[in-house]
Amino acid sequence: MPAPKTAISPTREVDYPEWYQQVIKAADLAENSSVRGCMVIKPWGYQLWENIQRALDDMFKATGHQNAYFPLFIPMSYLEKEAEHVEGFAKECAVVTHHRLEPNPDGGLRPAGKLEEPLIVRPTSETIIGATYAKWVQSYRDLPILINQWANVVRWEMRTRMFLRTAEFLWQEGHTVHATAAEAIAETEKMVDVYRDFAQDWMAMPVIVGSKTAKERFPGAVDTLSIEAMMQDRKALQAGTSHFLGQNFAKAQDIKFQSEKGGVEHAWTTSWGVSTRLVGALIMTHSDDDGLVLPPRLAPTHVVIQPIYKGDSRAEVMAEAQSLRDEIAAQSYAGAPVRVTIDDRDIRGGEKKWYHVKRGVPIRLEIGPKDIAAGTVFCGIRNQPKSFGISRSELVSTIGTKLETLQSELFAAALHLRESNTVTITNEADFRDFFSTQNEDKIHGGFAHAYFADEDALEPLLKELKVTIRCVPRGDNTTPGTCFLTGRPAEKKAVFAKAY
Amino acid sequence: MPAPKTAISPTREVDYPEWYQQVIKAADLAENSSVRGCMVIKPWGYQLWENIQRALDDMFKATGHQNAYFPLFIPMSYLEKEAEHVEGFAKECAVVTHHRLEPNPDGGLRPAGKLEEPLIVRPTSETIIGATYAKWVQSYRDLPILINQWANVVRWEMRTRMFLRTAEFLWQEGHTVHATAAEAIAETEKMVDVYRDFAQDWMAMPVIVGSKTAKERFPGAVDTLSIEAMMQDRKALQAGTSHFLGQNFAKAQDIKFQSEKGGVEHAWTTSWGVSTRLVGALIMTHSDDDGLVLPPRLAPTHVVIQPIYKGDSRAEVMAEAQSLRDEIAAQSYAGAPVRVTIDDRDIRGGEKKWYHVKRGVPIRLEIGPKDIAAGTVFCGIRNQPKSFGISRSELVSTIGTKLETLQSELFAAALHLRESNTVTITNEADFRDFFSTQNEDKIHGGFAHAYFADEDALEPLLKELKVTIRCVPRGDNTTPGTCFLTGRPAEKKAVFAKAY
């Protein structure tokens, strides 16, 4: 029996990485540009990012943060000030060395006007923002500083993949300054919680919150908290990080303040960020072999209406479609009007249906003369295999509920996938078995919770199996245990997984 | 008699350029960074930019445009394709030549990993976006493409001034593709009208819409439309431009399509943009010797309440301030709730008052025990010299009207300034007299409307007087006239002015 036809080829089962690229293409989210590693984010993909931005921005403002904007360029000498930081970023920096072009004697142009000091295109802005904060902070009265920036950053990655890892990407970076370690730690925790809430409530993507181990921390951080999600191929994806930077950057950049008691102290800083990578996470969490599946709270369009008519019936059907649109737009979902459009383009019905299925529109309605006569609408919900007829009035009155149900079903399905592919492991044999690389492109084991004594001792095994420590989950380390590898007493229990 | 004390020193009369810098500082809008020509936009300045963005973005969407995002970097060879374009931008390009840093044998770091082809940090994106459009456009059915991008761009200007001219700035750039010249011209006109409406309705800044002359056009454009405003020193500021690019870029980048008739044709393109320069325009249009004055429609905060109390009365006054805030927040202005905050910081009353005056908050309210007893509030409106007592209930019920009145008074005052400093000129002597450079930092003549026959013939005079042709106003050229300089017949009447 031939496999049922799917809109996306290959399917997830056959070739997950290629399926991912094909979903992006079919949903018209983005494409590679002619500039190495840089993508073009197309309107549908950008609308998703705008919705992500809007929701996060509201959450940042609700937690007392303000936006500001700092320079794209960082003087090379600034990067040098924090040793671990420069070590972490030096290998992937775009470097501006000249400030004009001049005619090349051999034709064409060449760089000219060499800069005295090269400028780095920001890979992250701790150093340039810290240099500014050093001027702003004089007294404890100037603290805390709670600022966020929406910006583009550049990391010259060798292997890129759309949304997940691109040379240029869009992100937000919060940078805060505090008078005490306790306040800075509380901020770090608060912001990782904002990311968790956003991932779960808006993206319908369950995440684990935890601390990175020393080797996996942000370069220069004392502690890095992250949210980790499981993709459908059972690999982990780090979807957001929040760093407690201690006094490391404050010392490197001389952020000092007169304390309430009178002495001069170095401040405590944090930074936290999420990026367009979230769009990749969204795609891989929910989409299926027919294309993108969007959680309603982030969908640019909640409902699309397709009028079905031939010749004479056009006027009647369009009038009905418009009144249906108006009624639906008067309904609310998640505290705002339902976003509904009519697709009246002159293309074949089947093509039109798949167009919206592939783009992940949550609810698709068809209405034709027979539906009008019967007082019904034909309704397709993106996570249900079959469309169904429904009375028009019932549809309108339940549209908000249907969107809510879809949102929570997507979350439940993602949570079920994670729970079904999460194990607790106590010995090396089980660990090896779980992360067996036999079907590398299809199945990646999942999440393994295991005690470990010493990160360094794990390294050969993790390298061999291409597994990483994702995080030490918060609140999951109350009782000590035994290291799954060495059998030694262990205090930390981590989540291990293959990862993006 | 000593001059009355002002919050900003020097005053506009004494030194306008320095006054501008001091307003930015006093209102906490921005500051210079340690990176040459790049500024830091501080939270109050960035909120203004966010409000500008939000309003414009809604207007772009209402006119059928969608947002997308294209790469920061442009391969050097792309710039070379359009001869005038590269000529216009080659002298001010930040050039990326390397993609990593390595330890320098003498200490520190040095650029490494030389790129095969240098990359330009976008000064504008016609070339990189056009290269993408060339792939998207196959048939007339793919047209029009109506896309906007919010982004940062870099132009390595030698003399910079915050908001008005910075090496890096934030802007939006619309890039559209059409099947016919007529459609592209209509788009160019439509978008300059959007800019005019935004400037006048939101910024309360009257503008003249017109065409640039050949020498003043965007490099590579067939026609450049602009909006031009008069600042308080009577200099002109170009606040937005909309370019009809003809087929110039389509030919350079091979944007071709199968036409409805069957042939293959080059497309017609437009581009249009405004930038953070608008914030500079806003400052210079309305602010006074006490600091920033904000048009209410763009003000981050409409009303600030300052509770005035000593010791015992705190609880009573705060309760009253909070209930006043809630009542005001329930009022609406320009179709949305009034934005009102309480400033309860523990600083001296006078300092607190000036803090908000300097930042341009439209309405400032003080409330203390005596006001509560009398059922009144003490009210300061930013464009009025004196504060006044008003019954609390009247204040609440008229708050929206007060904001509306302020918005229209600001527009009227700016229009009055322009009208009072605009002349029609028919001969060289009057032209020289009007643009006399005697008081260069204080008075710059204003706007002179005059017929001219030949742009080249004007050049020596314009250079001598440091005057430029701002634009040939739209709809102002119905009758031919006589060139003010040569006496020859002239078809075009332009606005001449000194300019930013």
PDB file of all heavy atoms in Angstrom, chain B residues 418-446:
ATOM      1  N   ARG B 418       6.583  78.881   9.950  1.00  0.00           N
ATOM      2  CA  ARG B 418       6.946  78.687   8.549  1.00  0.00           C
ATOM      3  C   ARG B 418       6.358  79.790   7.667  1.00  0.00           C
ATOM      4  O   ARG B 418       7.061  80.371   6.835  1.00  0.00           O
ATOM      5  CB  ARG B 418       6.466  77.319   8.054  1.00  0.00           C
ATOM      6  CG  ARG B 418       7.032  76.988   6.688  1.00  0.00           C
ATOM      7  CD  ARG B 418       6.503  75.666   6.181  1.00  0.00           C
ATOM      8  NE  ARG B 418       5.179  75.807   5.602  1.00  0.00           N
ATOM      9  CZ  ARG B 418       4.417  74.777   5.218  1.00  0.00           C
ATOM     10  NH1 ARG B 418       4.858  73.537   5.370  1.00  0.00           N
ATOM     11  NH2 ARG B 418       3.228  74.980   4.691  1.00  0.00           N
ATOM     12  N   GLU B 419       5.073  80.080   7.878  1.00  0.00           N
ATOM     13  CA  GLU B 419       4.423  81.093   7.031  1.00  0.00           C
ATOM     14  C   GLU B 419       5.089  82.451   7.211  1.00  0.00           C
ATOM     15  O   GLU B 419       5.261  83.199   6.250  1.00  0.00           O
ATOM     16  CB  GLU B 419       2.932  81.186   7.361  1.00  0.00           C
ATOM     17  CG  GLU B 419       2.169  79.883   7.135  1.00  0.00           C
ATOM     18  CD  GLU B 419       2.161  79.427   5.688  1.00  0.00           C
ATOM     19  OE1 GLU B 419       1.712  80.210   4.837  1.00  0.00           O
ATOM     20  OE2 GLU B 419       2.627  78.297   5.395  1.00  0.00           O
ATOM     21  N   SER B 420       5.471  82.767   8.450  1.00  0.00           N
ATOM     22  CA  SER B 420       6.074  84.082   8.706  1.00  0.00           C
ATOM     23  C   SER B 420       7.480  84.184   8.143  1.00  0.00           C
ATOM     24  O   SER B 420       8.056  85.270   8.105  1.00  0.00           O
ATOM     25  CB  SER B 420       6.168  84.366  10.205  1.00  0.00           C
ATOM     26  OG  SER B 420       5.142  83.774  10.905  1.00  0.00           O
ATOM     27  N   ASN B 421       8.044  83.041   7.786  1.00  0.00           N
ATOM     28  CA  ASN B 421       9.422  83.083   7.306  1.00  0.00           C
ATOM     29  C   ASN B 421       9.535  82.509   5.898  1.00  0.00           C
ATOM     30  O   ASN B 421      10.551  81.929   5.525  1.00  0.00           O
ATOM     31  CB  ASN B 421      10.331  82.320   8.270  1.00  0.00           C
ATOM     32  CG  ASN B 421      10.468  83.049   9.590  1.00  0.00           C
ATOM     33  OD1 ASN B 421      11.195  84.043   9.674  1.00  0.00           O
ATOM     34  ND2 ASN B 421       9.734  82.593  10.603  1.00  0.00           N
ATOM     35  N   THR B 422       8.475  82.662   5.156  1.00  0.00           N
ATOM     36  CA  THR B 422       8.465  82.204   3.768  1.00  0.00           C
ATOM     37  C   THR B 422       8.188  83.402   2.874  1.00  0.00           C
ATOM     38  O   THR B 422       7.278  84.195   3.147  1.00  0.00           O
ATOM     39  CB  THR B 422       7.374  81.135   3.569  1.00  0.00           C
ATOM     40  OG1 THR B 422       7.709  79.991   4.366  1.00  0.00           O
ATOM     41  CG2 THR B 422       7.290  80.705   2.111  1.00  0.00           C
ATOM     42  N   VAL B 423       8.977  83.537   1.825  1.00  0.00           N
ATOM     43  CA  VAL B 423       8.802  84.659   0.901  1.00  0.00           C
ATOM     44  C   VAL B 423       8.801  84.138  -0.530  1.00  0.00           C
ATOM     45  O   VAL B 423       9.209  83.007  -0.793  1.00  0.00           O
ATOM     46  CB  VAL B 423       9.948  85.687   1.044  1.00  0.00           C
ATOM     47  CG1 VAL B 423       9.932  86.332   2.423  1.00  0.00           C
ATOM     48  CG2 VAL B 423      11.305  85.023   0.770  1.00  0.00           C
ATOM     49  N   THR B 424       8.334  84.984  -1.430  1.00  0.00           N
ATOM     50  CA  THR B 424       8.467  84.702  -2.860  1.00  0.00           C
ATOM     51  C   THR B 424       9.506  85.671  -3.393  1.00  0.00           C
ATOM     52  O   THR B 424       9.457  86.866  -3.091  1.00  0.00           O
ATOM     53  CB  THR B 424       7.120  84.900  -3.561  1.00  0.00           C
ATOM     54  OG1 THR B 424       6.198  83.953  -3.025  1.00  0.00           O
ATOM     55  CG2 THR B 424       7.252  84.676  -5.067  1.00  0.00           C
ATOM     56  N   ILE B 425      10.442  85.151  -4.139  1.00  0.00           N
ATOM     57  CA  ILE B 425      11.568  85.982  -4.576  1.00  0.00           C
ATOM     58  C   ILE B 425      11.677  85.963  -6.097  1.00  0.00           C
ATOM     59  O   ILE B 425      11.524  84.911  -6.722  1.00  0.00           O
ATOM     60  CB  ILE B 425      12.863  85.505  -3.882  1.00  0.00           C
ATOM     61  CG1 ILE B 425      12.853  86.022  -2.435  1.00  0.00           C
ATOM     62  CG2 ILE B 425      14.114  86.011  -4.612  1.00  0.00           C
ATOM     63  CD1 ILE B 425      14.076  85.687  -1.639  1.00  0.00           C
ATOM     64  N   THR B 426      11.946  87.144  -6.670  1.00  0.00           N
ATOM     65  CA  THR B 426      11.969  87.251  -8.135  1.00  0.00           C
ATOM     66  C   THR B 426      13.295  87.784  -8.666  1.00  0.00           C
ATOM     67  O   THR B 426      13.471  87.902  -9.879  1.00  0.00           O
ATOM     68  CB  THR B 426      10.848  88.191  -8.622  1.00  0.00           C
ATOM     69  OG1 THR B 426      11.009  89.457  -7.971  1.00  0.00           O
ATOM     70  CG2 THR B 426       9.471  87.609  -8.315  1.00  0.00           C
ATOM     71  N   ASN B 427      14.221  88.154  -7.774  1.00  0.00           N
ATOM     72  CA  ASN B 427      15.502  88.664  -8.302  1.00  0.00           C
ATOM     73  C   ASN B 427      16.652  88.333  -7.364  1.00  0.00           C
ATOM     74  O   ASN B 427      16.457  88.015  -6.186  1.00  0.00           O
ATOM     75  CB  ASN B 427      15.415  90.179  -8.521  1.00  0.00           C
ATOM     76  CG  ASN B 427      15.170  90.898  -7.207  1.00  0.00           C
ATOM     77  OD1 ASN B 427      16.042  90.977  -6.346  1.00  0.00           O
ATOM     78  ND2 ASN B 427      13.929  91.388  -7.039  1.00  0.00           N
ATOM     79  N   GLU B 428      17.864  88.425  -7.885  1.00  0.00           N
ATOM     80  CA  GLU B 428      19.048  87.995  -7.147  1.00  0.00           C
ATOM     81  C   GLU B 428      19.288  88.833  -5.892  1.00  0.00           C
ATOM     82  O   GLU B 428      19.677  88.302  -4.850  1.00  0.00           O
ATOM     83  CB  GLU B 428      20.277  88.047  -8.068  1.00  0.00           C
ATOM     84  CG  GLU B 428      21.533  87.534  -7.379  1.00  0.00           C
ATOM     85  CD  GLU B 428      22.772  87.601  -8.265  1.00  0.00           C
ATOM     86  OE1 GLU B 428      22.616  87.792  -9.492  1.00  0.00           O
ATOM     87  OE2 GLU B 428      23.887  87.460  -7.726  1.00  0.00           O
ATOM     88  N   ALA B 429      19.066  90.127  -5.995  1.00  0.00           N
ATOM     89  CA  ALA B 429      19.342  90.995  -4.845  1.00  0.00           C
ATOM     90  C   ALA B 429      18.494  90.589  -3.641  1.00  0.00           C
ATOM     91  O   ALA B 429      19.006  90.455  -2.517  1.00  0.00           O
ATOM     92  CB  ALA B 429      19.069  92.450  -5.218  1.00  0.00           C
ATOM     93  N   ASP B 430      17.209  90.355  -3.871  1.00  0.00           N
ATOM     94  CA  ASP B 430      16.345  89.927  -2.766  1.00  0.00           C
ATOM     95  C   ASP B 430      16.769  88.567  -2.234  1.00  0.00           C
ATOM     96  O   ASP B 430      16.707  88.307  -1.027  1.00  0.00           O
ATOM     97  CB  ASP B 430      14.879  89.847  -3.242  1.00  0.00           C
ATOM     98  CG  ASP B 430      14.279  91.227  -3.457  1.00  0.00           C
ATOM     99  OD1 ASP B 430      14.962  92.225  -3.143  1.00  0.00           O
ATOM    100  OD2 ASP B 430      13.133  91.302  -3.959  1.00  0.00           O
ATOM    101  N   PHE B 431      17.166  87.702  -3.157  1.00  0.00           N
ATOM    102  CA  PHE B 431      17.601  86.360  -2.761  1.00  0.00           C
ATOM    103  C   PHE B 431      18.823  86.466  -1.842  1.00  0.00           C
ATOM    104  O   PHE B 431      18.880  85.857  -0.779  1.00  0.00           O
ATOM    105  CB  PHE B 431      17.931  85.558  -4.025  1.00  0.00           C
ATOM    106  CG  PHE B 431      18.106  84.078  -3.784  1.00  0.00           C
ATOM    107  CD1 PHE B 431      17.023  83.208  -3.876  1.00  0.00           C
ATOM    108  CD2 PHE B 431      19.357  83.536  -3.489  1.00  0.00           C
ATOM    109  CE1 PHE B 431      17.180  81.832  -3.672  1.00  0.00           C
ATOM    110  CE2 PHE B 431      19.522  82.172  -3.287  1.00  0.00           C
ATOM    111  CZ  PHE B 431      18.431  81.324  -3.373  1.00  0.00           C
ATOM    112  N   ARG B 432      19.803  87.277  -2.252  1.00  0.00           N
ATOM    113  CA  ARG B 432      21.017  87.476  -1.444  1.00  0.00           C
ATOM    114  C   ARG B 432      20.674  88.076  -0.090  1.00  0.00           C
ATOM    115  O   ARG B 432      21.200  87.668   0.943  1.00  0.00           O
ATOM    116  CB  ARG B 432      21.990  88.409  -2.166  1.00  0.00           C
ATOM    117  CG  ARG B 432      22.732  87.766  -3.319  1.00  0.00           C
ATOM    118  CD  ARG B 432      23.762  88.723  -3.917  1.00  0.00           C
ATOM    119  NE  ARG B 432      24.566  88.023  -4.907  1.00  0.00           N
ATOM    120  CZ  ARG B 432      25.634  87.283  -4.621  1.00  0.00           C
ATOM    121  NH1 ARG B 432      26.047  87.157  -3.370  1.00  0.00           N
ATOM    122  NH2 ARG B 432      26.298  86.661  -5.581  1.00  0.00           N
ATOM    123  N   ASP B 433      19.781  89.027  -0.129  1.00  0.00           N
ATOM    124  CA  ASP B 433      19.400  89.693   1.103  1.00  0.00           C
ATOM    125  C   ASP B 433      18.731  88.713   2.080  1.00  0.00           C
ATOM    126  O   ASP B 433      19.071  88.653   3.261  1.00  0.00           O
ATOM    127  CB  ASP B 433      18.431  90.834   0.755  1.00  0.00           C
ATOM    128  CG  ASP B 433      18.227  91.741   1.943  1.00  0.00           C
ATOM    129  OD1 ASP B 433      19.247  92.107   2.582  1.00  0.00           O
ATOM    130  OD2 ASP B 433      17.072  92.057   2.254  1.00  0.00           O
ATOM    131  N   PHE B 434      17.814  87.915   1.536  1.00  0.00           N
ATOM    132  CA  PHE B 434      17.064  86.966   2.369  1.00  0.00           C
ATOM    133  C   PHE B 434      17.998  85.954   3.029  1.00  0.00           C
ATOM    134  O   PHE B 434      17.813  85.573   4.179  1.00  0.00           O
ATOM    135  CB  PHE B 434      16.016  86.264   1.505  1.00  0.00           C
ATOM    136  CG  PHE B 434      15.053  85.395   2.285  1.00  0.00           C
ATOM    137  CD1 PHE B 434      14.155  85.960   3.184  1.00  0.00           C
ATOM    138  CD2 PHE B 434      15.032  84.028   2.116  1.00  0.00           C
ATOM    139  CE1 PHE B 434      13.258  85.176   3.894  1.00  0.00           C
ATOM    140  CE2 PHE B 434      14.142  83.225   2.828  1.00  0.00           C
ATOM    141  CZ  PHE B 434      13.248  83.809   3.717  1.00  0.00           C
ATOM    142  N   PHE B 435      18.985  85.513   2.273  1.00  0.00           N
ATOM    143  CA  PHE B 435      19.883  84.473   2.816  1.00  0.00           C
ATOM    144  C   PHE B 435      21.197  85.047   3.331  1.00  0.00           C
ATOM    145  O   PHE B 435      22.188  84.348   3.422  1.00  0.00           O
ATOM    146  CB  PHE B 435      20.137  83.391   1.763  1.00  0.00           C
ATOM    147  CG  PHE B 435      18.935  82.524   1.513  1.00  0.00           C
ATOM    148  CD1 PHE B 435      18.308  82.496   0.271  1.00  0.00           C
ATOM    149  CD2 PHE B 435      18.418  81.735   2.526  1.00  0.00           C
ATOM    150  CE1 PHE B 435      17.202  81.693   0.043  1.00  0.00           C
ATOM    151  CE2 PHE B 435      17.309  80.927   2.305  1.00  0.00           C
ATOM    152  CZ  PHE B 435      16.698  80.902   1.059  1.00  0.00           C
ATOM    153  N   SER B 436      21.188  86.343   3.627  1.00  0.00           N
ATOM    154  CA  SER B 436      22.371  86.977   4.215  1.00  0.00           C
ATOM    155  C   SER B 436      22.885  86.133   5.370  1.00  0.00           C
ATOM    156  O   SER B 436      22.118  85.664   6.208  1.00  0.00           O
ATOM    157  CB  SER B 436      21.974  88.366   4.725  1.00  0.00           C
ATOM    158  OG  SER B 436      22.713  88.674   5.887  1.00  0.00           O
ATOM    159  N   THR B 437      24.169  85.964   5.414  1.00  0.00           N
ATOM    160  CA  THR B 437      24.725  85.048   6.411  1.00  0.00           C
ATOM    161  C   THR B 437      25.188  85.768   7.672  1.00  0.00           C
ATOM    162  O   THR B 437      25.891  85.201   8.482  1.00  0.00           O
ATOM    163  CB  THR B 437      25.913  84.269   5.806  1.00  0.00           C
ATOM    164  OG1 THR B 437      26.844  85.229   5.273  1.00  0.00           O
ATOM    165  CG2 THR B 437      25.447  83.327   4.733  1.00  0.00           C
ATOM    166  N   GLN B 438      24.742  87.003   7.842  1.00  0.00           N
ATOM    167  CA  GLN B 438      25.232  87.773   8.986  1.00  0.00           C
ATOM    168  C   GLN B 438      25.131  87.064  10.337  1.00  0.00           C
ATOM    169  O   GLN B 438      26.084  87.027  11.101  1.00  0.00           O
ATOM    170  CB  GLN B 438      24.457  89.100   9.083  1.00  0.00           C
ATOM    171  CG  GLN B 438      24.995  90.130   8.131  1.00  0.00           C
ATOM    172  CD  GLN B 438      24.213  91.416   8.233  1.00  0.00           C
ATOM    173  OE1 GLN B 438      23.020  91.404   8.525  1.00  0.00           O
ATOM    174  NE2 GLN B 438      24.882  92.530   7.998  1.00  0.00           N
ATOM    175  N   ASN B 439      23.945  86.533  10.634  1.00  0.00           N
ATOM    176  CA  ASN B 439      23.757  85.897  11.944  1.00  0.00           C
ATOM    177  C   ASN B 439      23.623  84.383  11.758  1.00  0.00           C
ATOM    178  O   ASN B 439      22.595  83.798  12.048  1.00  0.00           O
ATOM    179  CB  ASN B 439      22.495  86.440  12.615  1.00  0.00           C
ATOM    180  CG  ASN B 439      22.656  87.907  12.915  1.00  0.00           C
ATOM    181  OD1 ASN B 439      23.611  88.299  13.583  1.00  0.00           O
ATOM    182  ND2 ASN B 439      21.754  88.704  12.390  1.00  0.00           N
ATOM    183  N   GLU B 440      24.680  83.804  11.318  1.00  0.00           N
ATOM    184  CA  GLU B 440      24.535  82.446  10.798  1.00  0.00           C
ATOM    185  C   GLU B 440      23.940  81.452  11.795  1.00  0.00           C
ATOM    186  O   GLU B 440      23.134  80.616  11.423  1.00  0.00           O
ATOM    187  CB  GLU B 440      25.877  81.914  10.285  1.00  0.00           C
ATOM    188  CG  GLU B 440      25.682  80.648   9.472  1.00  0.00           C
ATOM    189  CD  GLU B 440      26.885  80.383   8.582  1.00  0.00           C
ATOM    190  OE1 GLU B 440      27.828  81.184   8.612  1.00  0.00           O
ATOM    191  OE2 GLU B 440      26.850  79.374   7.880  1.00  0.00           O
ATOM    192  N   ASP B 441      24.324  81.563  13.041  1.00  0.00           N
ATOM    193  CA  ASP B 441      23.815  80.574  13.980  1.00  0.00           C
ATOM    194  C   ASP B 441      22.413  80.886  14.474  1.00  0.00           C
ATOM    195  O   ASP B 441      21.794  80.079  15.153  1.00  0.00           O
ATOM    196  CB  ASP B 441      24.759  80.438  15.167  1.00  0.00           C
ATOM    197  CG  ASP B 441      25.858  79.443  14.833  1.00  0.00           C
ATOM    198  OD1 ASP B 441      25.709  78.716  13.825  1.00  0.00           O
ATOM    199  OD2 ASP B 441      26.842  79.400  15.575  1.00  0.00           O
ATOM    200  N   LYS B 442      21.930  82.055  14.178  1.00  0.00           N
ATOM    201  CA  LYS B 442      20.631  82.418  14.740  1.00  0.00           C
ATOM    202  C   LYS B 442      19.517  82.389  13.703  1.00  0.00           C
ATOM    203  O   LYS B 442      18.464  81.834  13.934  1.00  0.00           O
ATOM    204  CB  LYS B 442      20.709  83.808  15.371  1.00  0.00           C
ATOM    205  CG  LYS B 442      21.474  83.786  16.693  1.00  0.00           C
ATOM    206  CD  LYS B 442      21.839  85.171  17.181  1.00  0.00           C
ATOM    207  CE  LYS B 442      20.631  86.004  17.541  1.00  0.00           C
ATOM    208  NZ  LYS B 442      21.056  87.328  18.057  1.00  0.00           N
ATOM    209  N   ILE B 443      19.744  83.012  12.591  1.00  0.00           N
ATOM    210  CA  ILE B 443      18.678  83.169  11.615  1.00  0.00           C
ATOM    211  C   ILE B 443      19.187  82.712  10.257  1.00  0.00           C
ATOM    212  O   ILE B 443      20.284  83.065   9.844  1.00  0.00           O
ATOM    213  CB  ILE B 443      18.235  84.648  11.543  1.00  0.00           C
ATOM    214  CG1 ILE B 443      17.630  85.068  12.885  1.00  0.00           C
ATOM    215  CG2 ILE B 443      17.236  84.867  10.412  1.00  0.00           C
ATOM    216  CD1 ILE B 443      17.306  86.526  12.977  1.00  0.00           C
ATOM    217  N   HIS B 444      18.382  81.943   9.585  1.00  0.00           N
ATOM    218  CA  HIS B 444      18.814  81.393   8.306  1.00  0.00           C
ATOM    219  C   HIS B 444      17.863  81.763   7.197  1.00  0.00           C
ATOM    220  O   HIS B 444      17.658  80.989   6.282  1.00  0.00           O
ATOM    221  CB  HIS B 444      18.948  79.885   8.424  1.00  0.00           C
ATOM    222  CG  HIS B 444      19.977  79.496   9.420  1.00  0.00           C
ATOM    223  ND1 HIS B 444      21.304  79.423   9.107  1.00  0.00           N
ATOM    224  CD2 HIS B 444      19.880  79.208  10.731  1.00  0.00           C
ATOM    225  CE1 HIS B 444      21.986  79.079  10.193  1.00  0.00           C
ATOM    226  NE2 HIS B 444      21.160  78.938  11.187  1.00  0.00           N
ATOM    227  N   GLY B 445      17.291  82.949   7.284  1.00  0.00           N
ATOM    228  CA  GLY B 445      16.426  83.402   6.200  1.00  0.00           C
ATOM    229  C   GLY B 445      15.057  82.780   6.258  1.00  0.00           C
ATOM    230  O   GLY B 445      14.093  83.405   6.670  1.00  0.00           O
ATOM    231  N   GLY B 446      14.969  81.530   5.876  1.00  0.00           N
ATOM    232  CA  GLY B 446      13.664  80.873   5.849  1.00  0.00           C
ATOM    233  C   GLY B 446      13.500  80.166   4.519  1.00  0.00           C
ATOM    234  O   GLY B 446      14.480  79.717   3.930  1.00  0.00           O
TER     235      GLY B 446
END
